[in-house]
Coordinates of all heavy atoms in Angstrom, one line a residue:
Chain B
F418 N 120.2 103.1 85.5 CA 121.3 102.2 85.9 C 122.7 102.8 85.4 O 123.6 102.8 86.1 CB 121.1 100.8 85.3 CG 122.2 99.8 85.6 CD1 122.4 99.4 86.9 CD2 123.0 99.3 84.6 CE1 123.4 98.5 87.2 CE2 124.0 98.4 84.9 CZ 124.2 98.0 86.2
D419 N 122.7 103.3 84.1 CA 123.9 103.8 83.6 C 124.4 105.1 84.4 O 125.5 105.3 84.6 CB 123.7 104.2 82.1 CG 124.9 104.6 81.4 OD1 125.9 103.7 81.3 OD2 125.0 105.7 80.9
L420 N 123.4 105.9 84.8 CA 123.7 107.1 85.5 C 124.3 106.7 86.9 O 125.3 107.3 87.3 CB 122.4 107.8 85.8 CG 122.5 109.1 86.6 CD1 123.2 110.2 85.9 CD2 121.1 109.7 86.9
I421 N 123.8 105.7 87.5 CA 124.3 105.2 88.8 C 125.7 104.6 88.7 O 126.7 105.0 89.4 CB 123.4 104.2 89.5 CG1 122.1 104.9 89.9 CG2 124.0 103.6 90.7 CD1 121.0 103.9 90.3
V422 N 125.9 103.9 87.6 CA 127.2 103.3 87.4 C 128.3 104.4 87.1 O 129.4 104.4 87.7 CB 127.2 102.3 86.2 CG1 128.6 101.8 85.8 CG2 126.3 101.1 86.5
K423 N 127.9 105.3 86.2 CA 128.9 106.3 85.9 C 129.2 107.3 87.1 O 130.3 107.8 87.2 CB 128.4 107.1 84.6 CG 128.6 106.2 83.4 CD 128.3 106.8 82.1 CE 128.7 105.8 81.0 NZ 128.0 106.2 79.8
R424 N 128.2 107.5 87.9 CA 128.4 108.3 89.1 C 129.4 107.6 90.0 O 130.3 108.2 90.6 CB 127.1 108.6 89.8 CG 127.2 109.3 91.1 CD 127.9 110.7 91.0 NE 127.0 111.7 90.5 CZ 126.4 112.6 91.2 NH1 126.5 112.7 92.5 NH2 125.6 113.5 90.5
F425 N 129.2 106.2 90.1 CA 130.0 105.4 90.9 C 131.5 105.5 90.4 O 132.4 105.7 91.2 CB 129.6 104.0 90.9 CG 130.3 103.0 91.8 CD1 130.2 103.1 93.2 CD2 131.2 102.1 91.2 CE1 131.0 102.2 94.0 CE2 131.9 101.2 92.0 CZ 131.8 101.3 93.4
F426 N 131.7 105.4 89.1 CA 133.1 105.6 88.6 C 133.6 107.0 88.9 O 134.8 107.1 89.4 CB 133.0 105.5 87.0 CG 132.7 104.1 86.5 CD1 132.2 104.0 85.2 CD2 132.9 103.0 87.3 CE1 131.9 102.7 84.7 CE2 132.5 101.7 86.8 CZ 132.1 101.6 85.5
S427 N 132.8 108.0 88.7 CA 133.3 109.4 88.9 C 133.8 109.7 90.3 O 134.8 110.4 90.4 CB 132.2 110.4 88.6 OG 131.5 110.0 87.5
V428 N 133.1 109.1 91.3 CA 133.5 109.5 92.6 C 134.9 109.0 93.0 O 135.6 109.5 93.9 CB 132.5 109.0 93.7 CG1 131.2 109.5 93.5 CG2 132.5 107.5 93.8
F429 N 135.5 108.0 92.2 CA 136.8 107.5 92.4 C 137.8 108.2 91.6 O 139.0 108.0 91.7 CB 136.9 106.0 92.2 CG 136.1 105.2 93.1 CD1 134.9 104.7 92.8 CD2 136.6 105.0 94.4 CE1 134.1 103.9 93.7 CE2 135.8 104.2 95.3 CZ 134.6 103.7 95.0
A430 N 137.4 109.0 90.6 CA 138.3 109.6 89.6 C 139.0 110.9 90.2 O 138.6 111.4 91.3 CB 137.5 110.0 88.4
E431 N 139.9 111.4 89.4 CA 140.7 112.6 89.8 C 139.8 113.9 89.6 O 138.9 113.9 88.7 CB 141.9 112.7 89.0 CG 142.9 111.5 89.1 CD 143.4 111.3 90.5 OE1 143.6 112.3 91.2 OE2 143.4 110.2 91.0
P432 N 140.1 115.0 90.3 CA 139.4 116.2 90.0 C 139.7 116.7 88.6 O 140.8 116.3 88.0 CB 140.0 117.2 91.0 CG 140.7 116.4 92.0 CD 141.1 115.1 91.4
A433 N 138.8 117.4 88.0 CA 139.0 118.1 86.7 C 139.7 119.4 87.0 O 139.5 120.0 88.0 CB 137.7 118.3 86.0
I434 N 140.6 119.8 86.1 CA 141.3 121.1 86.3 C 140.8 122.0 85.2 O 140.8 121.7 84.0 CB 142.9 120.9 86.2 CG1 143.4 119.8 87.1 CG2 143.5 122.3 86.5 CD1 143.3 120.1 88.6
R435 N 140.3 123.1 85.6 CA 139.7 124.1 84.7 C 140.5 125.4 84.8 O 141.1 125.7 85.9 CB 138.2 124.3 85.0 CG 137.5 123.0 85.0 CD 136.0 123.2 84.6 NE 135.9 123.4 83.2 CZ 134.9 124.1 82.6 NH1 134.0 124.7 83.3 NH2 134.8 124.2 81.3
Q436 N 140.4 126.1 83.7 CA 141.1 127.5 83.7 C 140.0 128.5 83.4 O 139.2 128.3 82.6 CB 142.1 127.5 82.6 CG 143.0 128.7 82.6 CD 143.9 128.7 81.4 OE1 143.5 128.6 80.2 NE2 145.2 128.8 81.6
S437 N 140.1 129.6 84.2 CA 139.2 130.7 83.9 C 140.0 131.9 83.6 O 141.0 132.2 84.1 CB 138.2 130.9 85.1 OG 138.6 132.0 85.9
I438 N 139.5 132.6 82.6 CA 140.2 133.8 82.0 C 139.2 135.0 82.1 O 138.1 134.9 81.6 CB 140.6 133.6 80.6 CG1 141.5 132.4 80.5 CG2 141.3 134.8 80.0 CD1 141.4 131.6 79.2
N439 N 139.6 136.0 82.9 CA 138.7 137.2 82.9 C 139.5 138.4 82.3 O 140.6 138.7 82.7 CB 138.4 137.6 84.4 CG 137.5 136.5 85.0 OD1 136.4 136.3 84.5 ND2 138.0 135.9 86.1
V440 N 138.8 139.0 81.3 CA 139.5 140.0 80.5 C 138.7 141.3 80.7 O 137.5 141.3 80.6 CB 139.6 139.6 79.0 CG1 140.3 140.7 78.2 CG2 140.2 138.3 78.9
T441 N 139.4 142.5 80.9 CA 138.7 143.8 80.9 C 139.3 144.6 79.7 O 140.5 144.5 79.4 CB 138.9 144.6 82.1 OG1 140.3 144.8 82.4 CG2 138.3 143.9 83.4
I442 N 138.4 145.3 79.0 CA 138.7 146.1 77.8 C 138.2 147.5 78.0 O 137.1 147.7 78.5 CB 138.1 145.4 76.6 CG1 138.7 144.0 76.3 CG2 138.3 146.3 75.3 CD1 138.1 143.3 75.2
S443 N 139.0 148.4 77.7 CA 138.6 149.8 77.8 C 138.2 150.4 76.5 O 138.9 150.3 75.5 CB 139.8 150.6 78.4 OG 139.5 152.0 78.2
L444 N 136.9 150.9 76.5 CA 136.4 151.6 75.3 C 136.2 153.1 75.7 O 135.3 153.4 76.4 CB 135.1 151.0 74.8 CG 135.0 149.5 74.5 CD1 133.7 149.2 73.9 CD2 136.1 149.1 73.5
N445 N 137.1 153.9 75.2 CA 137.1 155.3 75.6 C 137.0 155.5 77.1 O 136.3 156.3 77.6 CB 135.8 156.0 75.0 CG 136.0 156.3 73.5 OD1 137.1 156.2 73.0 ND2 134.9 156.6 72.8
G446 N 137.8 154.7 77.8 CA 137.9 154.9 79.2 C 136.8 154.1 80.0 O 136.8 154.2 81.2
N447 N 135.8 153.5 79.3 CA 134.8 152.8 80.0 C 135.1 151.3 80.0 O 135.5 150.7 79.0 CB 133.4 153.0 79.3 CG 133.1 154.5 79.3 OD1 132.9 155.1 80.3 ND2 133.0 155.0 78.1
T448 N 135.0 150.6 81.2 CA 135.5 149.3 81.3 C 134.4 148.2 80.9 O 133.3 148.2 81.5 CB 135.9 149.0 82.7 OG1 136.9 150.0 83.1 CG2 136.5 147.6 82.9
F449 N 134.7 147.4 79.9 CA 133.9 146.3 79.5 C 134.6 145.0 79.9 O 135.9 145.0 80.1 CB 133.7 146.3 78.0 CG 132.7 147.3 77.6 CD1 133.0 148.7 77.7 CD2 131.4 147.0 77.0 CE1 132.0 149.6 77.3 CE2 130.5 147.9 76.6 CZ 130.8 149.3 76.8
S450 N 133.9 143.9 80.0 CA 134.6 142.7 80.4 C 134.0 141.4 79.8 O 132.8 141.5 79.3 CB 134.6 142.5 81.9 OG 133.3 142.3 82.4
F451 N 134.7 140.4 79.7 CA 134.2 139.1 79.4 C 135.0 138.0 80.1 O 136.1 138.3 80.5 CB 134.1 138.9 77.8 CG 135.5 138.6 77.2 CD1 135.9 137.3 77.0 CD2 136.3 139.7 76.8 CE1 137.2 137.1 76.4 CE2 137.5 139.5 76.2 CZ 137.9 138.2 76.0

Side-chain angles (χ1 to χ4, degrees):
Chain B
F418 179 67
D419 189 58
L420 179 66
I421 294 169
V422 170
K423 287 188 173 158
R424 173 63 74 103
F425 182 71
F426 292 159
S427 319
V428 301
F429 292 103
E431 299 301 320
I434 309 293
R435 305 206 78 207
Q436 187 184 56
S437 102
I438 304 148
N439 292 304
V440 183
T441 59
I442 296 175
S443 168
L444 302 187
N445 283 346
N447 301 301
T448 307
F449 284 68
S450 66
F451 73 94

